[in-house]
């Protein structure tokens, strides 16, 4: 079980890193999600892998560490909120720059010296 | 158990929730409530500062769980100092934001207060996982604040900032998990007890966790290989947000100072002073890099953003020396640089608003309406930031230079800081002389007047530099005491003996 678990974490991390390095917003978001899955699994494993154990002392012969489960729960909630935010931000960046590259369109950000700056957006 | 420790967290939390419910209320009401909350936080943090000055550790066990098992808040001199520094900076930034920044979006005040809450949790917590949560709270708020006002110029650096920090958070979780899997605790005091006793075969794991934590904190603090996101993000944020963010990099520095003096400090056996040999050269290179960036900056805001990186380099170079004197000097410099850089961001915004389309770019433009006042403020701020006498930056840098003992490190530190300061002076004088002295004919359409709140808040932050000089003796005494407290972690460990509050039988 340990080997399978480690293999899953490793694959998720590797795919996540690869996708983040793609430098397009959608792959980056998917990559971040994979990375956070890998991290969550890893955190879960820090309490050691136990099958059929309960997180309460005294209720069964063997017990499993409840703290990593609490940590994972926190990490999942935070990771989920962050993913939602970064999706919205990626859409916003796509709409603002007209391109899904993480740097946007180069021209929009490196104006020629002396060029008039883009007018500030007003609401 | 001292219940006042929760006040710096609960106040912005309640204030922020109130702001969310009032998001359609008149702007005046929201401003009044927001400013009142920030002022209350300042009052509380001053009283905590006075409380912490006796050198004792005060502990608040959340939910009355005994320390290694539950989350604890710990107040010591360093936490109190950081709380006070943040609260004072935040109050002036908040006052400044009433000039119109807060009208650009509905939730400015709520985000601002949640940002303060995250910062205050980070400074008070005595638990490593809670530190992660605090980082997330302040980051979520900072994402919103950074994007506040909208526009393409903000969404792209914002995207970089968010993605980088999400990766940083993953690394933080991995290192926390590694530490927990070996040591079996995440309470900082308990970690300080157990890390020296780690079995030799587990040492590499703890070492890896410690080094990864350093990477995470270095990303927050913007140390060199991890600082490329900072100048664009800060230069494009609205002025009060950029000024408040002067304290964001200091959270990373606080975390480094706390974790690497307590958990991986001198007493940590084979893991003593983990990573400090890496930190010193990297900090010096960061300093040099910041100076080069400042010399090449094409706008005043960029210049000040590079000043943030310069100050990070200076601070971490002093901290990595790991002596009491250098830590104390770093704390003195920390106060000076945070407030002055915050003030410079505000002054830069005032300048940009009076120059029409030239904005903050370092080019000739028509004469500003309030040139005298703004140029004096800019000069004081630049002098204090670059470290020229007679302002606080000079004394802070002298303290740092004096704190290092004769060694090869001394040569590196002295030369990099002194040459760096000289080049920073050049960068500031070049920017100042072009912006203030070289005027062209013409006039700016509707430059606007300086109103009292913005002038006072920008001026006050800058002139805090003078206050630091006037009060140098007590501040230095406090910084010395803080450094002494940080370098005797055995006292921190005693918080594990904090008794829980037991219920009285008669009730």
């Amino acid at each position: 079980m340990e080997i399978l678990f480690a293999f899953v974490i490793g694959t998720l991390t590797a795919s996540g890193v690869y996708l983040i390095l793609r430098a397009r917003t959608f792959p980056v978001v998917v990559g971040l999600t994979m990375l956070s899955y890998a991290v969550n699994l890893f955190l879960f494993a820090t309490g050691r892998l136990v099958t059929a154990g309960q997180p309460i002392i005294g209720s069964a012969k063997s017990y499993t560490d409840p703290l990593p489960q609490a940590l994972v729960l926190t990490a999942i909630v935070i990771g989920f909120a962050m993913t939602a935010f970064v999706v919205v931000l990626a859409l916003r960046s796509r709409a603002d720059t007209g391109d899904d590259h993480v740097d946007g369109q180069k021209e929009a950000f490196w104006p020629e010296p002396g060029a008039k700056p883009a007018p500030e957006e007003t609401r | 158990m001292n219940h006042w420790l929760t006040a710096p967290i609960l106040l912005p939390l309640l204030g922020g929730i109130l702001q969310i419910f009032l998001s359609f209320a008149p702007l005046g009401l929201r401003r009044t409530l927001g400013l009142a909350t920030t002022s209350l936080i300042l009052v509380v943090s001053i009283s905590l500062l006075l409380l912490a000055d006796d050198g004792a550790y005060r502990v608040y066990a959340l939910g009355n769980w005994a320390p290694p098992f539950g989350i604890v808040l710990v107040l010591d001199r360093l936490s109190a100092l950081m709380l006070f520094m943040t609260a004072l900076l935040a109050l002036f930034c908040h006052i400044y934001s009433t000039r119109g920044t807060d009208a650009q979006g509905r939730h400015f005040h709520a985000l601002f207060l949640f940002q303060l809450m995250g910062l205050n949790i980070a400074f008070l917590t005595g638990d490593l996982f809670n530190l992660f949560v605090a980082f997330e709270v302040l980051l979520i708020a900072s994402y919103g604040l950074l994007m506040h006002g909208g526009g393409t110029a903000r969404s792209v650096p914002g995207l970089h900032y968010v993605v980088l920090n999400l990766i940083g958070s993953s690394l933080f979780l991995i290192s926390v998990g590694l530490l927990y899997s070996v040591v079996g605790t995440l309470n900082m005091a308990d970690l300080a007890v157990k890390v020296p006793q780690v079995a030799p075969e587990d040492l590499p794991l703890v070492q890896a966790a410690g080094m990864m934590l350093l990477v995470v904190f270095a990303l927050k603090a913007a140390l060199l290989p991890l600082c490329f996101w900072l100048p664009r993000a800060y230069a494009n944020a609205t002025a009060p947000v950029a000024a408040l963010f002067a304290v964001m990099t200091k959270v990373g520095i606080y975390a480094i100072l706390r974790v690497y003096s307590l958990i991986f400090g001198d007493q940590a056996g084979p893991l003593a002073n983990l990573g400090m040999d890496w930190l010193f050269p990297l900090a010096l290179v960061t300093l040099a890099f910041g100076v080069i960036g400042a010399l090449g900056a094409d706008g005043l805001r960029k210049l000040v953003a590079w000043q943030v990186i310069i100050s990070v380099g200076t601070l971490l170079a002093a901290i990595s020396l790991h002596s009491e004197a250098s830590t104390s000097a770093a704390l003195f410099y920390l106060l000076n640089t945070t407030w002055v850089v915050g003030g410079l961001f505000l002054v830069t915004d005032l300048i940009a608003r009076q120059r029409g389309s030239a904005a903050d770019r370092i080019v000739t433009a028509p004469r500003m309406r309030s040139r005298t006042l703004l140029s004096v403020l800019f000069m004081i701020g630049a002098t204090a930031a670059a470290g020229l006498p007679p302002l606080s930056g000079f004394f802070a840098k002298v303290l740092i230079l004096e704190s290092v003992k004769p060694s090869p490190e001394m040569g590196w530190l002295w030369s990099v800081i002194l040459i760096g300061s000289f080049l920073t002076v050049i960068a500031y004088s070049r920017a100042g002389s072009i912006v203030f002295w070289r005027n062209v004919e013409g006039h700016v359409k509707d430059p606007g007047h300086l109103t009292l709140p913005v002038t006072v808040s920008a001026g006050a932050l800058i002139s805090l530099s003078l206050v630091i000089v006037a009060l140098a003796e007590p501040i230095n005494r406090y910084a010395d005491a803080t450094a002494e407290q940080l370098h005797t972690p055995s006292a921190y460990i005693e918080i594990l003996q904090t008794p829980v509050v037991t219920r009285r039988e008669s009730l």
Side-chain angles (χ1 to χ4, degrees), chain A residues 17-115:
Chain A
V17 170
Y18 173 75
L19 284 175
I20 288 171
L21 294 176
R22 299 279 294 164
R24 297 265 161 194
T25 47
F26 183 70
V28 165
V29 172
V30 177
L32 283 173
T33 318
M34 288 193 160
L35 199 59
S36 73
Y37 286 162
V39 169
N40 289 342
L41 287 176
F42 177 80
L43 265 187
F44 188 72
T46 57
R48 306 297 185 269
L49 297 171
V50 179
T51 40
Q54 291 177 12
I56 303 162
I57 296 178
S59 58
K61 265 190 190 147
S62 70
Y63 72 95
T64 171
D65 193 346
L67 193 81
Q69 306 187 10
L71 300 187
V72 160
L73 204 60
T74 318
I76 289 175
V77 173
I78 292 177
F80 189 68
M82 291 298 185
T83 311
F85 183 80
V86 83
V87 166
V88 174
L89 188 61
L91 286 175
R92 180 63 195 266
S93 163
R94 169 76 180 75
D96 278 347
T97 61
D99 192 26
D100 69 340
H101 194 270
V102 287
D103 281 336
Q105 283 170 315
K106 285 285 175 202
E107 300 80 60
F109 295 96
W110 305 104
E112 292 296 311

Side-chain angles (χ1 to χ4, degrees), chain B residues 349-420:
Chain B
D349 187 56
L350 291 179
I351 294 170
R353 280 168 192 245
Q354 294 214 338
R355 297 177 80 222
S357 61
D360 71 316
R361 282 178 299 139
I362 305 174
V363 291
T364 52
R367 195 189 149 124
M368 281 170 270
R369 184 180 275 172
S370 333
R371 190 175 71 165
T372 318
L373 175 68
L374 290 179
S375 58
V376 168
L377 283 182
F378 183 81
M379 193 191 75
I380 298 178
T383 314
L388 285 182
L391 294 178
S392 54
F394 171 73
F395 291 103
K397 282 193 176 168
V398 167
L399 282 175
I400 290 180
L401 294 180
E402 271 186 350
S403 72
V404 50
K405 293 181 197 75
S407 60
E409 283 168 350
M410 180 181 173
W412 284 105
L413 188 79
W414 276 61
S415 49
V416 173
I417 287 191
L418 289 177
I419 297 173

Side-chain angles (χ1 to χ4, degrees), chain A residues 25 32 39 42-43 46 48 65 67-68 71 74-75 78 82 85 89 92 96-97 102-103 109 120 123, chain B residues 104 129 136 140 143 147 151-152 154-156 159-160 162 166-167 170 173-174 177 180-181 186 232 357 361:
Chain A
T25 47
L32 283 173
V39 169
F42 177 80
L43 265 187
T46 57
R48 306 297 185 269
D65 193 346
L67 193 81
L71 300 187
T74 318
I78 292 177
M82 291 298 185
F85 183 80
L89 188 61
R92 180 63 195 266
D96 278 347
T97 61
V102 287
D103 281 336
F109 295 96
E120 193 78 342
R123 301 197 164 194
Chain B
Q104 287 175 335
F129 194 77
E136 293 307 307
I140 295 175
Y143 301 155
M147 239 67 73
T152 315
R154 293 195 185 119
S155 60
V156 169
L159 188 69
H160 294 181
V162 173
L166 285 181
I167 299 171
S170 303
L173 279 177
I174 293 175
Y180 180 79
S181 68
L186 288 175
R232 264 169 93 197
S357 61
R361 282 178 299 139

